[in-house]
Amino acid sequence: MIQTSRFVNKWVLLLVLASAGGGWWWWRGRSGGAADSAPPKLAKVEKGEVEVLVVANGVVRPRASIEVKSKASGRVVSYQYGEGSPVTKGKLLVELDKATEQRNVQKEEISLRTSEAKLRQAEADAQVLRSELQKALSNAEAELDSATMERQTLEERLRRLRELYDQKLASREELETSENALKAAQSRERQAQANKAYAKDQEHALAKKQSEVDLAKAEVERQQLLVEEAKERLADTKVPSPMDGILIQKSVDEGQIISSGVSAVSGGTVLGIVADLSRLYVEASVDETDIGKVKIDDLATVTADSFPKDTFTGKVVHIAPQGEVEANITIFKVLVLLDDSARERLRPMMSAKVEVRVEVKKDVLRVPSDAVHDEDKGSVVYVPEAGRPKAIQVKTGLDNGVWAELVEGPAEGQEVYVGPLPGDEKDAQKGSGMGPFGSRRR
């Protein structure tokens, strides 16, 4: 019994100690724990500037860039400019060996002469056939006219003989002779009609000859175009610079052999790229949710990855009328014209970040954005009063996430709480996500 009592007392003692420890930790959380947390942050209502920015990534672009191409094929015999070299419009940039293109011109000219000879032969054959058909048709018509007149004459003669025969003035033999003569004339007339029809039927042969002439003409025209293209490729063995600028890309070197192909559908082989760097732009990709805020002539600040500590200024000069889809996001291309100072440091295709100043208000009352709370009855800020936060209704204007404009609310110089509120209100907010007066903070 004594051992059992001691065992029970031991467990009672442990339970008492555990309860005391838990109470101590509860008391520390209510009093001492608050002393360990950071004090509430205060800020004053002040006058200043509130600006709203649209931020986008982009790429530096030149004012203009042109791919220098050649439709010619051959070895590069002269390319004396290097990347970064200034070039002048119309001045020789690249020269190719002419031998290949000269041979191509000669081949096409020979083919043209051959097709022209075939055309002349086809035209001559057609002319001979036309003359023969005209002669045959003329003879057939003359033969038919003669046969028709003969038949008509014999018909009249037979009519008179029949009258005389009826009057016993002509013999039966004369009548039969006249009838036989008429039958022979009618036979000749039918033959003449057949000859005329045959001559007319031969016109389809002339039409076939004419189609051969038309095909020969088309072949001549095709060969003429091929000769012109060959001469253009020959001329393309000397390639001048298309504009004043800088050679920003050199695609071939001296001694290299290029083959542009006969058709040159793509415009030829790229020899380099010349850019006009008198002005630089940043082509920024602005999200569709922000594009409505951006306007022409909005000022912009640009930073480049190559110069992270430097900033450049510019303004919006163009907004794309139609969006593009990139990575399942609709964006709009915006061109920002950089100030002249950027030309000395920035280069085409550098990555850049653009901040477009879409709206700004100067000399207005403002507070940190974290000082404004969304309550059920509207926006409020909390001011210290007798050691406790007091809510004051406010009306805000511009808010860029850092500063919020106060249109209505506390006067300049009034202190307001920023971020978490002091005391139990802060703890309640952490635990429940609610403000000190039962409303949700923004």
Side-chain angles (χ1 to χ4, degrees):
M1 284 295 294
I2 296 175
Q3 289 180 351
T4 303
S5 177
R6 288 177 179 176
F7 180 78
V8 171
N9 290 337
K10 181 178 179 181
W11 278 106
V12 170
L13 179 60
L14 290 173
L15 289 172
V16 170
L17 290 174
S19 299
W24 182 82
W25 281 108
W26 175 85
W27 175 84
R28 188 177 184 277
R30 294 286 294 172
S31 57
D36 294 338
S37 62
K41 184 179 179 181
L42 292 171
K44 290 184 178 181
V45 178
E46 63 179 41
K47 282 192 174 183
E49 179 181 280
V50 180
E51 63 175 0
V52 176
L53 302 176
V54 169
V55 181
N57 293 323
V59 177
V60 178
R61 304 285 190 195
R63 180 181 183 182
S65 63
I66 299 178
E67 284 187 332
V68 181
K69 295 183 177 183
S70 174
K71 295 189 287 291
S73 297
R75 184 173 56 86
V76 179
V77 296
S78 176
Y79 200 158
Q80 299 179 359
Y81 295 93
E83 292 183 352
S85 300
V87 294
T88 305
K89 180 178 180 180
K91 190 173 181 179
L92 182 63
L93 186 65
V94 185
E95 185 175 3
L96 306 179
D97 185 10
K98 296 182 175 63
T100 300
E101 296 305 335
Q102 285 175 337
R103 286 194 299 270
N104 290 335
V105 170
Q106 292 173 354
K107 290 178 182 178
E108 298 301 344
E109 287 178 339
I110 291 172
S111 297
L112 175 59
R113 289 195 294 270
T114 301
S115 61
E116 287 173 340
K118 290 181 179 179
L119 173 59
R120 289 192 296 270
Q121 184 62 49
E123 289 176 335
D125 292 344
Q127 182 60 39
V128 169
L129 181 58
R130 185 181 296 106
S131 299
E132 290 177 350
L133 288 178
Q134 287 176 349
K135 183 178 180 180
L137 182 59
S138 178
N139 292 338
E141 289 176 344
E143 182 182 354
L144 177 60
D145 291 341
S146 176
T148 300
M149 291 180 63
E150 182 183 8
R151 174 187 56 79
Q152 291 173 347
T153 301
L154 291 174
E155 284 177 342
E156 180 63 23
R157 180 181 178 184
L158 179 59
R159 184 185 63 78
R160 290 196 303 268
L161 279 174
R162 283 174 177 169
E163 290 177 354
L164 293 174
Y165 179 78
D166 291 340
Q167 297 173 9
K168 308 296 184 181
L169 298 176
S171 66
R172 179 67 183 178
E173 183 181 356
E174 290 176 328
L175 181 60
E176 290 177 354
T177 301
S178 179
E179 288 175 346
N180 292 333
L182 176 60
K183 290 178 180 179
Q186 289 173 338
S187 177
R188 287 192 295 273
E189 183 181 26
R190 287 192 296 270
Q191 183 61 46
Q193 289 173 342
N195 292 340
K196 180 180 179 181
Y198 177 78
K200 290 184 69 67
D201 286 343
Q202 294 304 305
E203 290 180 351
H204 74 277
L206 180 61
K208 183 179 179 181
K209 280 293 183 181
Q210 185 59 47
S211 67
E212 293 176 359
V213 171
D214 293 338
L215 289 174
K217 284 182 178 179
E219 178 62 19
V220 169
E221 292 174 356
R222 189 181 74 87
Q223 285 299 143
Q224 288 173 340
L225 292 176
L226 292 177
V227 169
E228 291 178 6
E229 291 177 359
K231 289 181 177 179
E232 287 179 2
R233 292 195 298 273
L234 177 59
D236 263 1
T237 56
K238 289 187 175 182
V239 184
S241 173
M243 66 177 179
D244 294 338
I246 303 295
L247 182 66
I248 63 172
Q249 178 179 315
K250 184 176 180 179
S251 304
V252 297
D253 294 309
E254 289 185 1
Q256 184 174 340
I257 297 176
I258 65 172
S259 178
S260 297
V262 176
S263 61
V265 176
S266 63
T269 301
V270 178
L271 306 177
I273 299 178
V274 176
D276 179 1
L277 302 183
S278 61
R279 290 185 180 180
L280 289 180
Y281 298 82
V282 173
E283 184 181 63
S285 300
V286 178
D287 192 277
E288 62 178 331
T289 58
D290 293 325
I291 195 62
K293 305 171 187 176
V294 181
K295 303 178 294 297
I296 298 296
D297 291 333
D298 279 348
L299 299 180
T301 301
V302 176
T303 55
D305 293 348
S306 303
F307 306 101
K309 296 182 180 180
D310 298 329
T311 58
F312 307 91
T313 56
K315 67 177 181 178
V316 176
V317 294
H318 177 73
I319 302 172
Q322 178 174 306
E324 303 175 12
V325 177
E326 292 184 358
N328 295 324
I329 298 174
T330 302
I331 55 94
F332 286 78
K333 297 295 186 180
V334 173
L335 277 184
V336 175
L337 173 62
L338 295 171
D339 292 341
D340 291 342
S341 59
R343 290 184 311 186
E344 300 177 359
R345 310 194 68 186
L346 299 185
R347 296 291 181 267
M349 296 307 296
M350 282 185 174
S351 299
K353 184 177 79 172
V354 177
E355 295 180 347
V356 182
R357 200 179 195 188
V358 296
E359 193 170 359
V360 61
K361 288 188 178 181
K362 297 182 178 181
D363 198 29
V364 295
L365 291 179
R366 66 180 188 178
V367 293
S369 296
D370 287 343
V372 182
H373 305 260
D374 288 338
E375 307 289 351
D376 294 337
K377 296 182 179 180
S379 298
V380 300
V381 296
Y382 289 96
V383 301
E385 186 174 285
R388 293 180 59 84
K390 176 184 177 182
I392 298 180
Q393 201 82 20
V394 296
K395 181 179 180 182
T396 60
L398 288 184
D399 189 341
N400 60 14
V402 179
W403 293 101
E405 176 194 4
L406 282 186
V407 180
E408 295 178 2
E412 183 179 3
Q414 173 67 57
E415 288 187 325
V416 297
Y417 285 106
V418 180
L421 300 174
D424 292 342
E425 289 79 10
K426 180 185 74 172
D427 295 336
Q429 176 192 338
K430 284 185 177 180
S432 64
M434 305 298 291
F437 299 101
S439 58
R440 186 172 297 277
R441 294 184 65 239
R442 188 179 59 178

